[in-house]
């Protein structure tokens, strides 16, 4: 089963920007006024390329054969049997292929999110003579303690660890990791550069 994890905030912002940029491009084409329009198109193109590379492209993809980590400029594929260890700090860090490290861009954990997760597992504070907070059952309290301090990144790390353990249980042979340049990011940068050059030449 394929699972894709992204930063929801960045992804939504990215598509909002794409819609905004597309509407402005149509307006600039309809009301074309020479160099000012070309300059505006160049600025929109450059900003859209940055938004695509930083907000829309990064993803952590769990596939049947292995883990695919997409960063702004590269894509790294690691077979499940080659995953050695998974830890979570600000990002998910995957040690693979005998010591190589892959830092996943999504999902990431902020200090604020970690603190919020810690508070979720804390017992309700009693204030005054009467209990104003709902009392948790033993099962609910146990569940809260299990998930105390755990974020979405921790959950994704568990999914990666679980798939790697299953691959080792099936005695799959570790394979080589593959890293490729993100040609889509390069293409976006080339288009943006071409628009900037066109605006400069038109001047």
């Amino acid at each position: 089963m394929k699972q894709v994890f992204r930063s929801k905030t960045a992804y939504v912002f990215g598509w909002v920007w794409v819609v905004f940029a597309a509407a402005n491009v149509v307006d600039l084409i309809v009301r074309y006024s020479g160099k000012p329009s070309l300059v505006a198109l160049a600025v929109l193109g450059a900003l859209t390329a940055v938004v695509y590379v930083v907000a829309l492209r990064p993803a952590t993809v769990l596939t049947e054969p292995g883990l695919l980590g997409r960063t702004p400029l590269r894509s790294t594929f690691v077979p499940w049997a080659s995953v050695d260890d998974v830890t979570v700090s600000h990002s998910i860090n995957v040690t693979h292929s005998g010591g190589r490290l892959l830092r996943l861009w999504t999902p990431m954990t902020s200090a604020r999110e970690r603190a919020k997760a810690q508070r979720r597992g804390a017992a309700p504070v009693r204030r005054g003579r009467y209990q104003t907070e709902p009392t948790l059952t033993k099962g609910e309290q146990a569940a809260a303690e299990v998930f105390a301090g755990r974020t979405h990144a921790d959950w994704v790390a568990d999914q990666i660890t679980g798939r790697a353990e299953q691959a080792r249980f099936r005695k799959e042979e570790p394979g080589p990791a593959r890293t490729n340049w993100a040609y889509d990011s390069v293409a976006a940068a080339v288009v943006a550069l071409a628009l900037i050059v066109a605006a400069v030449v038109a001047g």
Side-chain angles (χ1 to χ4, degrees):
M1 181 178 66
K2 182 177 179 180
Q3 294 174 285
V4 182
F5 301 98
R6 292 185 172 94
S7 167
K8 291 181 180 179
T9 302
Y11 195 67
V12 170
F13 166 77
W15 279 110
V16 168
W17 174 264
V18 168
V19 172
F20 169 79
N24 278 274
V25 167
V26 171
D27 183 65
L28 287 169
I29 291 174
V30 171
R31 304 183 183 186
Y32 182 75
S33 59
K35 184 180 178 180
S37 293
L38 283 176
V39 171
L41 281 171
V43 171
L44 279 173
L47 291 176
T48 302
V50 171
V51 168
Y52 172 77
V53 169
V54 175
L56 294 179
R57 188 178 196 284
T60 296
V61 186
L62 279 56
T63 66
E64 289 297 331
L67 167 68
L68 176 64
R70 289 170 47 183
T71 64
L73 299 179
R74 293 184 179 184
S75 294
T76 300
F77 176 81
V78 182
W80 292 121
S82 298
V83 174
D84 299 322
D85 189 31
V86 183
T87 59
V88 181
S89 54
H90 178 62
S91 62
I92 300 175
N93 306 308
V94 180
T95 305
H96 65 93
S97 308
R100 296 172 63 184
L101 181 64
L102 170 63
R103 286 189 176 88
L104 301 174
W105 271 57
T106 59
M108 289 191 175
T109 299
S110 64
R112 181 178 180 181
E113 184 182 3
R114 181 73 66 186
K116 183 178 179 181
Q118 291 283 0
R119 289 195 298 272
R120 277 202 307 265
V125 178
R126 294 181 68 94
R127 293 186 177 89
R129 187 173 181 179
Y130 301 101
Q131 176 71 28
T132 57
E133 296 291 337
T135 303
L136 298 178
T137 65
K138 288 184 178 180
E140 290 172 334
Q141 184 60 40
E145 290 173 357
V146 168
F147 289 101
R150 296 184 62 75
T151 64
H152 187 217
D154 294 310
W155 186 83
V156 174
D158 287 345
Q159 304 306 303
I160 296 171
T161 300
R163 292 208 184 196
E165 289 175 348
Q166 289 174 10
R168 285 192 289 270
F169 179 77
R170 293 192 298 266
K171 297 182 179 179
E172 294 181 7
E173 288 295 325
R178 302 190 303 273
T179 299
N180 299 314
W181 287 103
Y183 298 112
D184 49 343
S185 295
V186 174
V190 169
V191 171
L193 182 61
L195 288 171
I196 293 172
V197 170
V200 171
V201 170

